[in-house]
Amino acid sequence: MKTIIKRANNDDIKKDDLAEAGEILRKGGLVAFPTETVYGLGANAFDSEASGKIYSAKGRPSDNPLIIHIADINMVNDIAENISIEAKRLMEKFWPGPLTIVFKKKEKVPYETTGGLDTVAVRMPSHQIARKIIESAGVPIAAPSANKSGRPSPTKVEHVIDDLNGRIEMIIDGGQVGIGIESTIIDMSDKTPMILRPGFITKTMIEEEIGTVLVDKVVTARSINDLEDESYVPKAPGMKYRHYAPKADLTMFEGSIENVTKKINDLVLQDIKQGKKAGIICTDETLHCYNSGLIVSVGSRDNNDTIAHNLYSVLRDFDKTDVEKIYSETFFDSNLGQAIMNRMIKAAGYKVEKV
Ligand code: TXA
Ligand code: MG
């Protein structure tokens, strides 16, 4: 299949391109487009065949449900049932924006879209191009991140092209996205709300609106042992898969800056002696502490927004090199930092060493 690639300038997309994207989606095709979090791969959420195409284009396991994107707050009523007062409060406060809410699904939402679940995840993006595309399609749009399953989510159009060119009908190039990591997911379908995936909208921000919420174990797990209890099943099925994984073997090191930089420098030297190339993920403040290896800063330690913005791009850039090992510092675990650490720990396959 030849993929049509169209450029949209500064959130402004040509009328003809918008009409074409809308028509492709209505007819059951796939269009990748930017959102404020990461690029999404869209299909008509009410068309089970179209949703099915998402799974094959991404190589995604069929039990991993899709998030439905809407352009107007009222569209939620076509999709979700039993919307609580607390959920309404979250919608009013955080929509449009990077918060996904899980509800009980309406019958008309096909199980192909929800991965067989009776619940449905809904989000109203704030990105103007995403909004205009959904409006142009005139239907709710199921959209996972526009990457091949298991790879870091795309934050630049090159990432989408690398993973999906030739596999989908259209890609809208809206430049680099703002936030850089996927939306926060909160389950509001049960009595007690529970955060299933951390993101830009933090627990504190949510609790200010609706009081105490629970956090799924998968969010805070620091080691694979934390999740090995047989009775434990993550509520967001996607969280159980090894995600965001770079090709090289990634390990994180936690401890004082002195200990971490020394440990990483020693390991890189050992690798060099063995003829292996190593990469280092560090921060602006520690960049000067390293001597050899492919050294990359993800931004300032004090600015989680920048780290989130750069993270996936840094991981993907390593895939273009021949490094076999990547050593990374850990990052502050508060607010957005929790989402950053959650994604990094998963990328590292839970290999976090204390030094
Ligand atoms: O920021 C985002 O949310 C991006 C952009 C494109 O909007 N989308 C995204 O989708 O990250 P995806 O498919 O990569 O991740 C969706 C996550 C998965 O972990 C999935 O298991 C969970 O949402 N999910 C979807 N429906 C669910 C449901 N009914 N119950 C629990 N988890 C659900
Ligand atoms: Mg994804």
Side-chain angles (χ1 to χ4, degrees):
M1 174 187 313
K2 171 130 179 59
T3 303
I4 305 162
I5 302 175
K6 298 281 186 182
R7 168 98 189 122
N9 275 318
N10 302 327
D11 287 7
D12 197 14
I13 175 167
K14 280 201 198 105
K15 265 199 176 139
D16 289 353
D17 296 346
L18 202 55
E20 192 176 0
E23 194 179 347
I24 290 171
L25 288 164
R26 269 193 309 282
K27 286 186 170 160
L30 304 184
V31 178
F33 56 86
T35 82
E36 69 277 22
T37 55
V38 297
Y39 273 79
L41 175 60
N44 178 352
F46 288 146
D47 179 342
S48 52
E49 220 172 283
S51 288
K53 285 187 198 162
I54 288 183
Y55 290 92
S56 39
K58 279 180 60 95
R60 181 178 176 107
S62 63
D63 66 345
N64 191 0
L66 307 174
I67 295 174
I68 300 188
H69 293 61
I70 57 176
D72 178 308
I73 215 160
N74 295 316
M75 272 171 118
V76 73
N77 299 312
D78 297 339
I79 302 165
E81 265 179 14
N82 302 348
I83 301 175
S84 65
I85 293 170
E86 289 77 18
K88 281 198 183 123
R89 220 174 276 155
L90 294 179
M91 285 155 50
E92 273 157 25
K93 176 77 185 176
F94 298 113
W95 282 3
L99 180 71
T100 295
I101 306 179
V102 176
F103 302 100
K104 189 171 181 312
K105 84 169 187 74
K106 280 236 160 107
E107 214 177 300
K108 111 184 218 207
V109 179
Y111 282 113
E112 281 77 3
T113 302
T114 67
L117 298 176
D118 287 316
T119 54
V120 62
V122 188
R123 143 165 148 78
M124 180 170 162
S126 60
H127 198 294
Q128 287 306 317
I129 295 176
R131 301 274 293 282
K132 285 180 186 167
I133 285 175
I134 302 165
E135 274 163 15
S136 167
V139 289
I141 298 296
S145 47
N147 52 283
K148 274 281 197 66
S149 194
R151 301 211 66 208
S153 292
T155 54
K156 296 177 178 170
V157 76
E158 300 91 274
H159 304 159
V160 182
I161 294 171
D162 281 349
D163 283 13
L164 298 174
N165 196 20
R167 304 175 72 88
I168 62 177
E169 278 78 4
M170 192 176 196
I171 298 173
I172 305 290
D173 170 5
Q176 185 166 6
V177 298
I179 295 176
I181 54 175
E182 308 84 344
S183 61
T184 306
I185 304 180
I186 183 157
D187 185 354
M188 298 297 292
S189 71
D190 247 344
K191 276 191 204 75
T192 319
M194 187 191 268
I195 295 176
L196 309 184
R197 182 174 72 181
F200 187 81
I201 308 290
T202 61
K203 181 171 185 272
T204 315
M205 289 158 82
I206 291 172
E207 288 187 332
E208 265 170 30
E209 295 306 310
I210 60 167
T212 311
V213 298
L214 302 173
V215 178
D216 194 359
K217 227 159 106 177
V218 82
V219 172
T220 46
R222 273 306 180 98
S223 98
I224 200 79
N225 296 334
D226 294 346
L227 301 173
E228 267 177 354
D229 172 359
E230 299 230 324
S231 60
Y232 175 70
V233 182
K235 290 186 83 183
M239 296 295 277
K240 71 176 180 268
Y241 296 107
R242 183 165 180 236
H243 254 168
Y244 327 114
K247 284 178 191 150
D249 186 51
L250 170 66
T251 309
M252 300 190 84
F253 296 90
E254 192 167 39
S256 68
I257 300 254
E258 294 73 35
N259 287 357
V260 169
T261 51
K262 178 168 188 316
K263 175 78 183 181
I264 292 180
N265 274 325
D266 288 350
L267 286 167
V268 173
L269 277 184
Q270 250 180 47
D271 288 334
I272 291 173
K273 273 190 201 140
Q274 291 171 13
K276 285 188 201 149
K277 288 203 178 138
I280 300 171
I281 300 178
C282 65
T283 46
D284 294 350
E285 290 82 355
T286 54
L287 200 56
H288 69 279
C289 302
Y290 297 101
N291 315 316
S292 35
L294 181 55
I295 309 162
V296 183
S297 167
V298 273
S300 165
R301 293 192 82 70
D302 295 331
N303 189 340
N304 279 334
D305 288 357
T306 320
I307 296 179
H309 183 74
N310 294 332
L311 190 67
Y312 288 150
S313 202
V314 164
L315 290 178
R316 279 183 178 257
D317 285 347
F318 272 116
D319 284 351
K320 298 212 164 109
T321 71
D322 54 357
V323 307
E324 290 173 58
K325 302 230 169 191
I326 305 171
Y327 305 116
S328 175
E329 298 173 5
T330 48
F331 307 101
F332 293 127
D333 206 351
S334 54
N335 296 323
L336 182 58
Q338 188 173 48
I340 294 168
M341 279 301 288
N342 168 265
R343 306 309 196 272
M344 277 299 278
I345 286 172
K346 290 180 74 190
Y350 293 93
K351 290 194 299 297
V352 186
E353 241 179 71
K354 287 212 163 53
V355 292

